[in-house]
Amino acid sequence: MNLNEIIQTYYEYFNKEKLPYIKCANCGYVFYYPRGICPKCLSKKLSIMESKGEGEIYSETKFVNERGQVVIVGLIKLEEGFIVYANILTDRLENVSINRKVKVEFKEAIKGQKFPFFTTIS
Amino acid sequence: MLLGFSSKYEKVYQGSVLDLIAETVGESLDMAKLEPKDIDGVITTWLPWIFDGTLAIGFPENYISEYLGIKPRFTDLVQYGGASAVEMFYRAYKAVKSGEADRVLCIVGGKGTLMKKQLREGGVEKLSEVELLNILRNNPFDEFIRIYRDMDPISFYAMVAARHSKLYGTTDEQRALLAVQQRYNANSNERALFKGPLTVKDVTNSRVVSTPLRLLEITYPIDGVLAFIVGKGTSQLRSMDIISYGDVVWPEFFAERDIDIVYTPTVESVKKIDFNLNKIDAFEIYDAFTIMVLTELEDLGLIEKGKIGKFVEENDLTIKGNIPVNTGGGSLNMGQPAYMSGIIVLEEAFLQFNNMAKGNQVSGADHILVNGLGGWNTHAITLVIGEKK
């Protein structure tokens, strides 16, 4: 697949509420951010996989936006070994801290297109 | 090697950045006793919005040369973010050494306040829409990154600070202590824009901007330009050389790094430094946020990773102390002009080396280490400047 096809496949996965990632058949490296080549060995033998969508918070930060809402940005380390940068959604701010378990949740972020967000597992 | 330099920093500058450039370039030429026709190299940098609030399509080195009536035979465009100014000094030095140019004019600056205005007044959302239309991209994965609301770059360095605290127990008070020590230096510096008494409590009581970073740990955007000329010939300035240098680029998006986000690329740039750091008289360390200075000092090897909190408590990092750091107060007290704080730390090194730092001069500043840091911990350049004998 070329890059645009991979990006399109990612968008289709998101709208089906699935979290994709890529595994290199040549060197075994797993990564999230879409590419048509493996960034470790440049192989084109890549497979789009489906993540369980569960992991833990690697780091996070909270801020108040211009509308007075608390926004959380975090790095999420998924069980399959890759890291995703995303917003963390919660009703309980005290639940969001480094090492806390989280799972993916999908939300329409622009019209007609869902994107992955994360929420803590209580 | 350094023939002349001049800067102008204001909390808000009403004119065009080209006015600031013309003024500072003119003053740096005067110091060097040169005319525009004597300049044969130009190095600059450029990012969207913050030059004059305009979006550059390309060729900024031509744009600036054209305005100043300079016809360079050598140009370079350095896109190292906060590390740009320091990298420019190094590249100009190399260009002169190799004979590509005889006198290189480096210009860094723009309107930091315009970036702040764009970010605070809905610019971020506007930018996301633009980027989603693929008109403007900073990263091959922009549509998978910009969709999330953040306070880039504060969010990234806040996550570094949060993780540093989690892994090593670094406290808010220890980060605040660094800000207090830099303020001590600023209070002696007649050029500092932000002055006054400051305590650890003042810092920890200041508004949280992005947890755990607070307002007084973050630089304030200002407008400003630094122009400097590197070249052959004599000048009224002290003979300056780059004694040792190392630079490194970590192009990966930070979520994909093999190394923990508490490390800066300084950990690699310093490996190329062949100089005993115990003989450094002043450290000028890139400081957009307190956590940057702390992690850079660790990565330079002054103390092992994770122990900087205690190190700040046990050492005096002020101009009267055993390890003077950011002797002019750093960007935390000078403000952050456009293209980030590299010009603040670099110019302070020029001033210290030439015994021109009024009020905050470290005596015997013969060897100065300058560390530039850019992007999301993406670029680092480490220089030791001094006089080759």
Side-chain angles (χ1 to χ4, degrees), chain A residues 3 7 10-11 14 29 31-35 39-40 57-64 66-67 71-75 82-87 97-99 109-110 115-118, chain B residues 119-120 122 125 132 137 140-141 143-145 147-152 154-156 158-160 162-164 166 208-213 253-262:
Chain A
L3 178 59
I7 290 172
Y10 264 51
Y11 284 154
F14 292 167
Y29 183 61
F31 56 98
Y32 173 72
Y33 292 95
R35 295 176 179 86
K40 294 290 179 196
I57 298 174
Y58 175 90
S59 198
E60 54 80 26
T61 182
K62 306 174 185 79
F63 65 92
V64 176
E66 63 279 6
R67 290 191 283 274
V71 178
I72 312 174
V73 189
L75 284 164
F82 61 94
I83 293 182
V84 174
Y85 178 62
N87 286 139
S97 59
I98 293 172
N99 295 344
I110 53 175
F115 274 83
F117 291 75
F118 289 85
Chain B
L119 291 170
R120 299 254 168 94
E125 285 186 33
L132 286 166
R137 296 169 76 88
F141 321 116
E143 62 266 59
F144 296 90
I145 296 169
I147 195 74
Y148 300 108
R149 294 290 174 248
D150 66 8
M151 291 183 83
D152 174 40
I154 302 173
S155 303
F156 171 67
M159 289 194 298
V160 172
R163 192 159 168 83
H164 203 280
K166 179 72 180 180
V208 172
V209 177
S210 191
T211 59
L213 296 180
F253 180 51
F254 53 75
E256 295 197 324
R257 296 235 168 102
D258 292 332
I259 190 165
D260 199 292
I261 62 166
V262 297

Side-chain angles (χ1 to χ4, degrees), chain B residues 223-251:
Chain B
D223 299 336
V225 167
L226 170 71
F228 58 97
I229 302 161
V230 176
K232 292 174 184 160
T234 54
S235 82
Q236 57 181 294
L237 295 171
R238 189 178 169 193
S239 172
M240 178 191 281
D241 243 299
I242 294 176
I243 304 282
S244 193
Y245 60 82
D247 60 353
V248 67
V249 182
W250 284 359

